[in-house]
Amino acid sequence: MPAPGRPSGRPAPTSTSIRALRLARKGRRRSAPPAQANPLRDGLRLERVPDPCAIVLFGATGDLAHRKVLPALYQLWRTNLLPRDFLILGVARRPYTKETFRAEVRASLLLRSRTGVDDESLATFLDRVSYLQGNFDDPGAFDRLRETLDGCEREHGTSRNRLYYLATQPSAFPEVIAQLGRVGLSHETSGEGWRRIIIEKPFGHDAESAVRLNREVGRVFRERQIYRIDHYLGKETVRNLLVFRFANGIFEPIWNRRYVDHVQITVAESMGIEDRGAFYEETGASRDVLQNHLLQLLSLVAMEPPATFGADALRDEKVQVVSAIAALTPDEVASNVVRGQYGPGWVAANPVAGYRQESEVDPDSETETFVAAKLQVDNWRWSGVPFYLRTGKRLPRRATEIAIQFRAVPHRLFRDTTIDPEPNLLAIRIQPDEGILLRFESKMPGLGLDIRSVNMDFTYGSAFSVDSPDAYETLILDALLGDASLFTRADEVEKAWGIVTPILDSWIATPPARFPNYDAGTWGPPEADRLLARDGRRWRRL
């Protein structure tokens, strides 16, 4: 009778055959291909690789292109997230040759690549880099661009898909867009591939100019082709905020005015204006950070859960938040918004000059380098909950954080202990040391009843042990894939300017009484502290 579980007629294995079987299995394990070569994984590994395409980079010799855009593109290439058939065509005024431009790109990548470079990937990347010299106000340059693209696309097989990236001064946006339309480079026709355009911030300099720019872009490109970039939306922790809020059921019941006392959002920079005096004189902290970064973070904190994770559903909810923030009157600006400008001081134990001593800055400049504001989101969820926003240059340290301050417990049961318990706090650190902190109260070990605040701290670096991608890598890849979820829509931009423009108009009518009004290396003017102190609150120490 055969042994139980053994098919009838099959001989029992001998010790020799068992050893042979084990050796055979061991040999198969040794010779098996690595997991990444498994064809069943190809779909998972390659699902986010975009179509073959040409990337036209306007302003290709500028600081933004070499500091952010080109390193991001190289990193995508190095990690196999760009298609094999692609082309980067730099367009700028400098009279470079293709070889000269490639040499500059190579030098930038050696200096700024996030994970370094290797010779093989760098060589193949540079093979796909070309250059076209031309002035943006010269119609002939765009005629040559069309001809160059046609020739390059035949050589590189990019299927006539084109992404235009405007890494130029904002003043050049209308001219470049109009010329692209004139020569037909924006048109999408059957079999001709897609056309998309990335427009850098600032998108306009006030509400009127933003509406006008939207109208000018809309004459040439459809809204679904337009990607208005705000690099903060590509940061890993900002993207995780959506997951944190909508993939965890424990937070939704307390994410409202019944449990939240107030919200603080801080974008602090220890650096100055970095030889960008002319740019900053026209921009200031309000246009540079408040209108985009801070309001974007506020909308992600305050938005309702979208019906789907699609781009339009997400952006619809963000627009609803910004629409619920009423524009401030001049009197409200005076009492709810603080502006500042840094003077000489010390940052990281080094002496630094004041803003008015920086290159290309007016010695009597009234441009703000700091702004703090108290805003209200007037809807069912957040009515009565103040949102305190602040940003500034030459502050003690670089830090971006969202702090959700919860209300105190309704009954102070432990008020007679050595320390009155503090309300709970949820802090979302966006940079540096990306992570999430939850503060709660606990009894200290011992015979007494001493209470102390303790932190439950999650950090990306220790939890996942992987490098987070740069925000530009994320956003450029999304644009190539046609995913507009992390890009701002026309109506959102206009609504945001509708909040900031009355502040700017009020400041024009009432020049600052005292500039500079805070020393470099401090947390801004004293008026910023008083803004919260009037409400019985204080800024969180970072």
Side-chain angles (χ1 to χ4, degrees):
M1 178 180 293
R6 186 180 302 131
S8 179
R10 180 173 296 179
T14 65
S15 59
T16 303
S17 63
I18 290 174
R19 284 197 301 272
L21 182 60
R22 288 174 177 167
L23 288 172
R25 287 175 177 168
K26 186 181 293 185
R28 282 200 300 270
R29 284 199 296 270
R30 287 173 178 165
S31 61
Q36 61 267 29
N38 185 341
L40 297 177
R41 295 174 57 86
D42 284 353
L44 295 175
R45 189 159 45 89
L46 302 177
E47 63 180 355
R48 286 182 61 82
V49 175
D51 301 325
C53 61
I55 301 170
V56 183
L57 181 57
F58 293 97
T61 59
D63 179 68
L64 174 63
H66 284 267
R67 189 163 44 88
K68 292 293 186 181
V69 181
L70 289 165
L73 287 168
Y74 170 71
Q75 187 65 24
L76 292 173
W77 170 254
R78 187 180 182 186
T79 52
N80 299 316
L81 289 172
L82 286 182
R84 189 160 191 83
D85 298 320
F86 93 102
L87 162 73
I88 298 174
L89 178 59
V91 182
R93 291 188 294 267
R94 295 182 186 178
Y96 286 175
T97 64
K98 177 172 66 176
E99 289 71 24
T100 306
F101 182 60
R102 284 181 176 177
E104 281 214 346
V105 173
R106 184 178 186 278
S108 295
L109 296 180
L110 289 171
L111 179 64
R112 297 186 174 94
S113 179
R114 180 170 62 86
T115 58
V117 300
D118 64 82
D119 293 340
E120 182 179 355
S121 66
L122 181 59
T124 56
F125 180 81
L126 292 175
D127 283 343
R128 289 160 173 78
V129 173
S130 192
Y131 184 78
L132 176 67
Q133 188 273 332
N135 293 324
F136 300 144
D137 58 355
D138 176 17
F142 288 84
D143 293 325
R144 295 194 301 275
L145 173 61
R146 182 181 56 192
E147 296 169 3
T148 302
L149 276 175
D150 288 340
C152 290
E153 287 176 336
R154 285 192 296 269
E155 177 184 352
H156 290 275
T158 55
S159 302
R160 301 187 67 80
N161 297 314
R162 296 168 183 172
L163 175 68
Y164 307 110
Y165 197 121
L166 302 191
T168 68
Q169 290 290 340
S171 58
F173 292 170
E175 186 66 45
V176 173
I177 291 165
Q179 292 292 347
L180 289 173
R182 181 186 67 82
V183 297
L185 288 175
S186 62
H187 300 165
E188 288 184 337
T189 57
S190 179
E192 284 291 305
W194 48 257
R195 309 285 189 273
R196 297 171 190 148
I197 184 167
I198 295 179
I199 304 177
E200 273 283 349
K201 75 172 186 67
F203 195 89
H205 63 273
D206 57 17
E208 182 181 353
S209 62
V211 171
R212 184 169 59 250
L213 182 55
N214 272 330
R215 190 181 303 121
E216 292 170 347
V217 179
R219 292 194 187 105
V220 178
F221 292 91
R222 298 181 178 92
E223 181 62 32
R224 61 175 175 79
Q225 297 175 278
I226 305 167
Y227 293 73
R228 299 169 188 83
I229 192 169
D230 182 344
H231 72 274
Y232 258 63
L233 293 183
K235 291 183 178 294
E236 193 69 26
T237 316
V238 175
R239 297 168 66 210
N240 188 53
L241 180 57
L242 294 171
V243 177
F244 179 80
R245 281 200 58 195
F246 304 131
N248 296 292
I250 64 173
F251 298 109
E252 178 61 23
I254 60 173
W255 207 266
N256 55 60
R257 60 188 176 85
R258 290 186 60 193
Y259 297 97
V260 176
D261 180 77
H262 70 278
V263 178
Q264 297 182 23
I265 305 177
T266 298
V267 177
E269 297 178 282
S270 59
M271 64 184 183
I273 57 173
E274 294 187 309
D275 299 321
R276 296 189 304 155
F279 166 79
Y280 208 82
E281 277 287 89
E282 296 180 3
T283 306
S286 300
R287 292 184 174 94
D288 190 35
V289 180
L290 175 61
Q291 185 272 335
N292 39 74
H293 299 338
L294 282 170
L295 288 179
Q296 288 289 335
L297 296 177
L298 186 156
S299 65
L300 291 173
V301 171
M303 66 185 283
E304 295 296 323
T308 69
F309 203 63
D312 282 336
L314 285 168
R315 297 193 290 183
D316 286 345
E317 298 301 339
K318 289 169 60 186
V319 170
Q320 290 298 319
V321 172
V322 183
S323 300
I325 302 174
L328 301 177
T329 65
D331 288 343
E332 289 171 333
V333 170
S335 59
N336 292 294
V337 185
V338 173
R339 54 178 159 166
Q341 184 188 93
Y342 68 84
W346 294 77
V347 176
N350 294 312
V352 296
Y355 176 74
R356 291 179 174 180
Q357 288 76 52
E358 302 277 13
S359 174
E360 299 181 327
V361 170
D362 183 348
D364 299 316
S365 174
E366 295 180 351
T367 300
E368 79 284 356
T369 63
F370 177 97
V371 61
K374 174 186 175 182
L375 300 179
Q376 299 277 351
V377 179
D378 192 13
N379 62 17
W380 190 273
R381 181 185 290 264
W382 296 109
S383 180
V385 176
F387 285 74
Y388 299 102
L389 315 181
R390 65 171 170 171
T391 183
K393 295 282 191 182
R394 288 299 188 200
L395 301 184
R397 63 186 295 255
R398 172 177 172 263
T400 300
E401 182 187 85
I402 301 167
I404 315 293
Q405 179 68 67
F406 292 97
R407 295 186 183 277
V409 293
H411 175 51
R412 295 172 60 195
L413 184 64
F414 302 103
R415 61 182 176 273
D416 295 329
T417 60
T418 54
I419 295 180
D420 201 14
E422 292 191 45
N424 301 121
L425 173 86
L426 180 68
I428 301 166
R429 296 188 304 272
I430 294 169
Q431 64 179 15
D433 304 323
E434 294 89 344
I436 300 171
L437 176 147
L438 177 64
R439 185 182 72 197
F440 56 93
E441 302 303 294
S442 177
K443 176 188 175 300
M444 292 185 64
L447 298 177
L449 189 61
D450 293 333
I451 296 175
R452 293 291 185 272
S453 295
V454 294
N455 296 329
M456 184 180 294
D457 202 350
F458 153 75
T459 59
Y460 276 85
S462 60
F464 298 115
S465 300
V466 294
D467 289 330
S468 296
D470 180 76
Y472 276 86
E473 296 170 30
T474 297
L475 294 172
I476 291 173
L477 179 61
D478 280 356
L480 291 171
L481 291 165
D483 183 355
S485 302
L486 300 176
F487 295 85
T488 52
R489 206 167 56 191
D491 51 350
E492 185 180 356
V493 170
E494 293 175 12
K495 294 287 186 183
W497 275 118
I499 296 168
V500 174
T501 298
I503 297 173
L504 299 172
D505 291 343
S506 177
W507 286 348
I508 292 172
T510 55
R514 178 175 61 89
F515 265 8
N517 59 355
Y518 72 97
D519 294 337
T522 65
W523 283 106
E527 293 83 357
D529 294 325
R530 290 196 285 269
L531 177 67
L532 272 70
R534 288 199 306 266
D535 299 335
R537 302 181 176 104
R538 64 180 184 271
W539 291 107
R540 172 172 152 78
R541 293 188 62 181
L542 299 179

